[in-house]
Amino acid sequence: MLKKEYVLISQKRQRGECFRRNAEGQWVLYSYNQGLEVYLASVDFRISINALYQAIACFFYCR
């Protein structure tokens, strides 16, 4: 079964929300705050939220 999800990332603080569709077809919310690990099931990827924000900042400011 294809895993579907989408992620919202806050611009102001280290916070994210992942909405993932479960086996019943309902969207389930997974919240992530500073110090937690973000898991993206659709691509089997894990990253700490701190590292995610560092990568985003570098993408915009390290050029």
Side-chain angles (χ1 to χ4, degrees):
M1 182 171 135
L2 181 65
K3 296 177 184 173
K4 295 183 179 182
E5 63 191 344
Y6 66 93
V7 179
L8 303 172
I9 301 292
S10 173
Q11 294 178 327
K12 297 184 179 188
R13 61 188 122 161
Q14 289 191 2
R15 178 175 166 76
E17 296 177 334
C18 176
F19 292 86
R20 189 174 300 131
R21 189 163 275 187
N22 66 15
E24 291 81 35
Q26 298 175 331
W27 290 100
V28 179
L29 169 63
Y30 298 85
S31 294
Y32 301 100
N33 294 309
Q34 187 172 6
L36 295 178
E37 182 178 77
V38 177
Y39 176 59
L40 303 177
S42 61
V43 291
D44 193 28
F45 178 73
R46 296 178 189 276
I47 188 170
S48 73
I49 199 157
N50 296 340
L52 177 62
Y53 272 81
Q54 287 176 354
I56 291 169
C58 190
F59 178 79
F60 287 105
Y61 302 112
C62 294
R63 295 177 178 202

